[in-house]
Amino acid sequence: MKHSILFIDDNESLRESMSVFFEREGFNSKCAADGEGGIALVRQNVSHFSIALVDYHLPDMNGAQVTARIRELDSDIIILGFSDDKTDPVHNEALAAGALIFVNKDASDAKLLGILHRHCQEYERRNKPLTITTRSANQKLISALGMVGCSNHLAQISRDVFKYALTTSTVFIRGENGTGKEMIARAVHNLSDRRNMPFIPVNCATISKDLIAKELFGHVKGAFTGAVENSSGKFQAANHGTIFLDEIGELSSDAQAALLRVLQDKTLMPVGSNKTQTVDVRVVTATNAPIEKMIEANEFRIDLFQRLNVLPIRLNPLRERPEDIPYLVEHFMGQENKKGSAKKMILESDVEKLKALPWLGNVRELGHAIEYLFTVCDGDRLDISRLKNWNDNLSKQRSLSSPGDIRNLGATIKEREVEEIKSSLRNQGSVVGAARRLGISRGALRAKIEKYGIEIEKFTKEKLRP
């Protein structure tokens, strides 16, 4: 890569000699005699300067002012102060304005060349597009499941899934929203000998408790008003295949009892019928709710839990496996690049900044963020600073200006969750409504309210049940 250097100095003979030096050493170069001239060259953005050498004492403004103006136009340029004035105020002001270091004009050619090469390497590092050229054993194993990543966590889950797929036992998947629980369920099905039979996903949280038994097990004609004919449920549709019950903690007590019957003797009874039907269905369930607490509160049957939790899988949130983020970004970038003719890229340094975010919405939120950036960013590069305007949630999670110190990450996540819960309770007026708005089960929300000591009576007319 041939780098371009911008040299700003009012000494004409020095500009000429430096121009010869730059060209001799393999750099492209442009020179300006004053601050406005140098700023104009940056604004034209033709040479894509890697480095700007800026004298402090210029006829129209000082070097600190020039540095600040250049930084506003192009944050990628590495700016080096350049002066024979060795006083501390000059140095400090230039550094405060955004100069990386201060180079004295009496530096030898060899020293200056070393400084330039070192910072050109830094520029390349900062502006290197994300490229994953090697594929680890972990990544190959994970991709065989249709998932994306390289972490040891996902690799171990992949090994478990390959083993689980060989059986017909129930699988119980736990993980936050957006972690990929349904993808795991589909992998269990697709790797099993039932792969050519139906895979039926059911989100129990989206079906009212009055209708869920009918949706799962069907009904007979006359079972209720409007039942003008027999109708099969999701279990009948999944016969000889796999049914995936997401948000299993939302099942009513009656539906839990009926599901337990299916698991125990492979039979079900449609709503309004007194005859059983035999079904052969592999059951995979998932939840983000604290099932153990729900069992203690008599909200979930312990015998059903024991039937479901034969082959457990726990999916960690994305913030606990940041090494997967570059692979996921590459995956989502590929998806977006296929949609349009204009191809875009993202810098590795920006991906490092994405890795510092908690991603409370996990993989799903990351995918939406990349889609947003593709839509709003001009040119061929994603500008992740635009995420500050995406939504308040992400901008509150963490500053995007630098990877930063992540020691306070846990506190940030807690504060964010507490504020979201309070806001949802206040807006919805009930735990049920707040859970729906937050996209989690009522049991999960109640557990968080108890965990954070939130006094829900301040926001609703309800009280937390013991």
Side-chain angles (χ1 to χ4, degrees):
M1 178 179 180
K2 192 169 185 178
H3 292 271
S4 294
I5 295 179
L6 172 62
F7 181 62
I8 306 176
D9 195 288
D10 65 343
N11 186 318
E12 184 176 1
S13 62
L14 182 59
R15 290 199 305 274
E16 291 176 357
S17 63
M18 291 293 284
S19 180
V20 171
F21 169 75
F22 292 141
E23 296 297 330
R24 185 182 71 235
E25 297 299 336
F27 299 101
N28 293 323
S29 66
K30 293 283 185 181
C31 296
D34 55 30
E36 288 295 347
I39 291 166
L41 289 172
V42 174
R43 187 180 291 111
Q44 292 168 10
N45 198 29
V46 174
S47 298
H48 298 287
F49 299 110
S50 302
I51 293 176
L53 270 174
V54 182
D55 185 19
Y56 187 84
H57 297 289
L58 295 169
D60 54 348
M61 62 184 80
N62 65 42
Q65 293 169 318
V66 177
T67 295
R69 293 274 298 279
I70 291 176
R71 183 67 65 215
E72 290 176 358
L73 292 171
D74 189 340
S75 61
D76 291 330
I77 297 177
I78 292 177
I79 303 175
L80 310 180
F82 193 65
S83 179
D84 53 9
D85 187 336
K86 299 180 180 180
T87 60
D88 287 341
V90 168
H91 286 224
N92 295 338
E93 189 176 352
L95 296 175
L100 194 61
I101 63 169
F102 208 93
V103 182
N104 292 320
K105 285 187 176 181
D106 59 4
S108 66
D109 286 357
K111 182 176 181 179
L112 178 58
L113 186 61
I115 291 171
L116 294 177
H117 281 308
R118 183 169 71 252
H119 287 95
C120 282
Q121 290 174 354
E122 171 64 14
Y123 180 87
E124 290 180 11
R125 187 194 67 79
R126 288 185 185 180
N127 292 276
K128 182 180 179 183
L130 175 65
T131 307
I132 300 176
T133 55
T134 59
R135 302 289 168 176
S136 66
N138 276 2
Q139 194 275 334
K140 293 175 182 177
L141 179 63
I142 293 164
S143 64
L145 265 66
M147 299 190 73
V148 178
C150 69
S151 63
N152 291 334
H153 173 69
L154 281 189
Q156 184 56 56
I157 285 177
S158 300
R159 295 186 190 96
D160 291 340
V161 168
F162 275 105
K163 296 173 184 176
Y164 292 178
L166 300 177
T167 76
T168 59
S169 301
T170 55
V171 178
F172 192 76
I173 308 169
R174 299 201 202 197
E176 294 180 4
N177 287 335
T179 50
K181 297 189 290 294
E182 184 169 339
M183 292 190 71
I184 293 292
R186 288 185 181 275
V188 170
H189 173 76
N190 292 334
L191 293 169
S192 73
D193 57 7
R194 297 171 181 253
R195 65 181 68 90
N196 296 321
M197 303 307 291
F199 174 87
I200 306 296
V202 181
N203 189 330
C204 300
T206 63
I207 306 172
S208 72
K209 292 188 181 296
D210 294 334
L211 298 177
I212 198 162
K214 175 178 75 69
E215 289 292 321
L216 292 180
F217 310 117
H219 65 267
V220 297
K221 180 179 178 180
F224 50 84
T225 302
V228 296
E229 60 183 0
N230 293 344
S231 177
S232 297
K234 302 295 185 182
F235 267 87
Q236 291 95 325
N239 201 24
H240 304 298
T242 302
I243 191 167
F244 172 55
L245 302 177
D246 198 7
E247 299 295 353
I248 189 70
E250 294 299 307
L251 286 181
S252 66
S253 57
D254 289 344
Q256 289 180 38
L259 177 58
L260 182 61
R261 184 187 309 118
V262 174
L263 296 172
Q264 287 176 334
D265 55 24
K266 307 299 182 184
T267 63
L268 58 82
M269 187 177 296
V271 175
S273 174
N274 57 8
K275 296 181 180 179
T276 59
Q277 297 178 10
T278 301
V279 289
D280 173 22
V281 178
R282 172 86 179 267
V283 177
V284 180
T285 61
T287 188
N288 64 356
I291 290 294
E292 287 82 2
K293 286 185 175 293
M294 294 178 69
I295 292 172
E296 291 176 5
N298 294 319
E299 295 176 346
F300 201 87
R301 296 178 63 124
I302 187 171
D303 50 356
L304 176 58
F305 171 71
Q306 292 167 344
R307 284 280 184 176
L308 295 175
N309 194 42
V310 178
L311 301 177
I313 291 176
R314 185 179 292 274
L315 262 173
N316 287 349
L318 190 56
R319 61 184 172 272
E320 293 181 11
R321 43 187 178 94
E323 63 269 37
D324 288 331
I325 288 179
Y327 288 84
L328 288 162
V329 170
E330 182 196 48
H331 171 72
F332 292 129
M333 293 283 292
Q335 288 184 334
E336 295 302 320
N337 275 322
K338 289 178 181 178
K339 293 179 182 179
S341 56
K343 305 300 181 185
K344 299 186 180 183
M345 58 89 169
I346 188 170
L347 302 183
E348 284 190 354
S349 56
D350 283 342
V351 175
E352 288 300 311
K353 295 172 186 176
L354 295 180
K355 288 169 67 175
L357 292 171
W359 296 109
L360 301 182
N362 291 293
V363 178
R364 184 183 298 125
E365 184 181 24
L366 177 61
H368 291 166
I370 297 300
E371 183 178 359
Y372 166 79
L373 290 174
F374 258 81
T375 302
V376 300
C377 292
D378 299 320
D380 62 352
R381 169 184 157 187
L382 300 193
D383 177 8
I384 68 167
S385 67
R386 298 293 297 272
L387 288 178
K388 292 179 180 178
N389 301 323
W390 182 36
N391 61 41
D392 291 337
N393 294 350
L394 189 60
S395 63
K396 289 177 182 177
Q397 286 181 31
R398 190 137 191 96
S399 169
L400 287 162
S401 58
S402 63
D405 182 356
I406 62 172
R407 287 175 295 179
N408 294 322
L409 187 59
T412 303
I413 295 170
K414 176 183 175 180
E415 292 165 4
R416 174 76 186 92
E417 279 196 320
V418 169
E419 286 306 313
E420 277 295 299
I421 291 170
K422 289 180 179 179
S423 175
S424 297
L425 288 169
R426 186 181 298 110
N427 291 334
Q428 301 298 318
S430 69
V431 172
V432 173
R436 187 180 299 112
R437 180 176 184 268
L438 292 167
I440 62 177
S441 68
R442 292 189 294 277
L445 178 55
R446 282 194 291 270
K448 289 179 182 294
I449 290 171
E450 182 179 353
K451 174 182 176 182
Y452 296 135
I454 298 172
E455 300 178 46
I456 65 172
E457 56 269 21
K458 290 184 178 180
F459 308 97
T460 75
K461 296 180 180 179
E462 300 180 46
K463 293 185 177 180
L464 188 64
R465 286 186 293 170

